[in-house]
Amino acid sequence: MESALAVPRLPPHDPGTPVLSVVDMHTGGEPLRIVLAGCPEVSGPTLLAKRRYMRQHLDHVRRRLMFEPRGHRDMYGAVLVPSELPDAHLGVLFLHNEGYSSMCGHAVLALGRFALDFGLVPAPAAGTREARVNIHCPCGLVTAFVACEDGRSHGPVRFHSVPAFVLATDLMVDVPGHGKVVVDIAYGGAFYAFVSAEKLGLDICSAKTRDLVDAASAVTEAVKAQFKINHPDSEDLAFLYGTILTDGKDAYTNEPTINICVFADEQVDRSPTGSGVTARIALQIHKGLLELNQARAFKSSATGSVFTGKAVREAKCGDFKAVIVEVSGQAHYTGTASFIVEDDDPLRDGFLLK
């Protein structure tokens, strides 16, 4: 006789609290938890307004999904919402340990697969080898191109970014514990500070992750305190998301260049960081170290996973010269889950350990 344990059912829970159903994926080791059902309606006439509404009224959903005991301090998530853009197949709000991002490349690579496999875009015609998915991110419309076979995702995904540009180069900041440090700031859907780990006395390949996190976080806080971030389109986008430490190998080479991204509240990206690759390519183009359609490989110092990227055309963002960047990587499914709440659970909305 079949065991009762083999029959899926929910354990006791508060019937007044919606069950949060999710699909979990990862791209280059960086997790993505996609909400299928259970999130209340996110109100707002635009995607940025929806982002503000969720931060103000539905932040308990983020905390329940990202924080322990259902998640961890480096969990990442996505809530799918309607978009006001006529060309978009879906809109998305990105969740992390501190709040809500404006862009997430690893998530776009995963969401491209997800959108195709879960029927959020029209089924591709017979024989189609790549499906197009238009994803409205808070930073703007991003197009994913999903390798497919017989109508299902199969293989890598690539995306074309919003216009990426350089905000500042050779910016001198006073970093506690490190003295005067020269950094660059560039935008790839989110703003990052870039600095070679060597300038902070660290080897990107052999240093302990904790030491890299501490150094990157010190740079982030220093830049926030000493430099004003501006975006020509919206104040909602005008914030420093994090710092990317690199191996300093910005000149073109066939070998992968290595980096690690520390963002939000000392969250560590396991992947090479899609929006970071976008911004770093814009920076290398700006400095004359890379040409249009010249592809480079970017390797995560955390997992060894690799994204490839290239600037595919010139663009503008306000008065800034910009480029559209193509980033490629591979996403994988890892599972599904249904998360519940018991009404007497004092930790129902989650917690984080420092």
Side-chain angles (χ1 to χ4, degrees):
M1 185 173 67
E2 185 177 18
S3 168
L5 292 177
V7 180
R9 63 177 183 176
L10 291 175
H13 62 283
D14 177 11
T17 302
V19 176
L20 288 165
S21 299
V22 304
V23 169
D24 278 358
M25 303 182 71
H26 82 90
T27 311
E30 179 68 359
L32 182 68
R33 177 162 286 168
I34 305 166
V35 180
L36 288 178
C39 181
E41 181 181 357
V42 183
S43 299
T46 66
L47 192 67
L48 286 174
K50 288 179 171 69
R51 181 170 172 259
R52 292 190 292 269
Y53 181 92
M54 184 148 190
R55 181 191 293 122
Q56 295 167 8
H57 302 287
L58 298 174
D59 199 52
H60 63 278
V61 174
R62 178 187 66 87
R63 297 194 305 271
R64 287 177 187 171
L65 291 173
M66 299 297 100
F67 291 5
E68 294 185 55
R70 301 172 188 88
H72 52 83
R73 69 171 298 106
D74 295 311
M75 179 56 76
Y76 206 95
V79 172
L80 306 185
V81 295
S83 167
E84 74 274 16
L85 300 182
D87 293 335
H89 294 113
L90 66 148
V92 60
L93 301 177
F94 300 119
L95 321 177
H96 51 68
N97 70 8
E98 190 179 52
Y100 303 84
S101 175
S102 54
M103 173 58 185
C104 180
H106 94 271
V108 166
L109 295 171
L111 286 169
R113 286 198 68 191
F114 174 86
L116 178 61
D117 294 335
F118 281 73
L120 301 184
V121 295
T128 299
R129 309 300 295 180
E130 193 174 61
R132 179 176 179 139
V133 182
N134 295 330
I135 302 173
H136 186 188
C137 304
C139 64
L141 192 66
V142 176
T143 301
F145 302 89
V146 185
C148 58
E149 189 174 289
D150 298 327
R152 302 296 297 272
S153 67
H154 180 77
V157 179
R158 58 190 177 95
F159 71 80
H160 284 182
S161 71
V162 295
F165 62 90
V166 175
L167 185 64
T169 58
D170 300 326
L171 178 70
M172 184 77 74
V173 291
D174 190 0
V175 181
H178 299 279
K180 301 290 186 181
V181 178
V182 176
V183 305
D184 299 318
I185 300 176
Y187 178 81
F191 284 102
Y192 296 96
F194 291 89
V195 60
S196 168
E198 187 178 23
K199 292 182 180 179
L200 302 169
L202 297 169
D203 186 314
I204 193 75
C205 296
S206 62
K208 293 180 180 179
T209 301
R210 182 70 258 171
D211 292 338
L212 294 169
V213 169
D214 289 345
S217 298
V219 172
T220 296
E221 293 309 309
V223 173
K224 286 180 177 179
Q226 299 168 43
F227 184 78
K228 171 67 174 174
I229 299 288
N230 292 293
H231 191 283
D233 292 341
S234 173
E235 275 299 306
D236 284 292
L237 306 176
F239 64 95
L240 187 69
Y241 191 31
T243 291
I244 296 179
L245 303 182
T246 77
D247 59 5
K249 297 177 181 177
D250 291 324
Y252 177 76
T253 171
N254 288 324
E255 295 297 317
T257 177
I258 300 171
N259 58 231
I260 187 170
C261 175
V262 181
F263 65 98
D265 184 8
E266 298 190 342
Q267 191 160 338
V268 179
D269 196 334
R270 274 69 169 160
S271 80
T273 309
S275 55
V277 166
T278 301
R280 198 171 170 202
I281 286 178
L283 182 61
Q284 292 172 0
I285 289 282
H286 178 85
K287 291 187 172 185
L289 302 173
L290 202 62
E291 298 177 356
L292 285 178
N293 291 304
Q294 194 171 33
R296 288 204 71 180
F298 296 80
K299 183 177 180 180
S300 164
S301 75
T303 62
S305 58
V306 175
F307 289 169
T308 59
K310 61 182 178 181
V312 294
R313 65 179 183 273
E314 295 178 342
K316 293 279 285 185
C317 188
D319 292 331
F320 291 98
K321 291 183 178 180
V323 287
I324 302 299
V325 176
E326 179 180 290
V327 178
S328 302
Q330 177 71 65
H332 294 89
Y333 293 101
T334 58
T336 62
S338 296
F339 293 112
I340 62 165
V341 165
E342 289 195 275
D343 55 12
D344 63 346
D345 184 355
L347 301 176
R348 59 190 290 147
D349 288 338
F351 63 92
L352 285 182
L353 295 180
K354 285 284 189 177

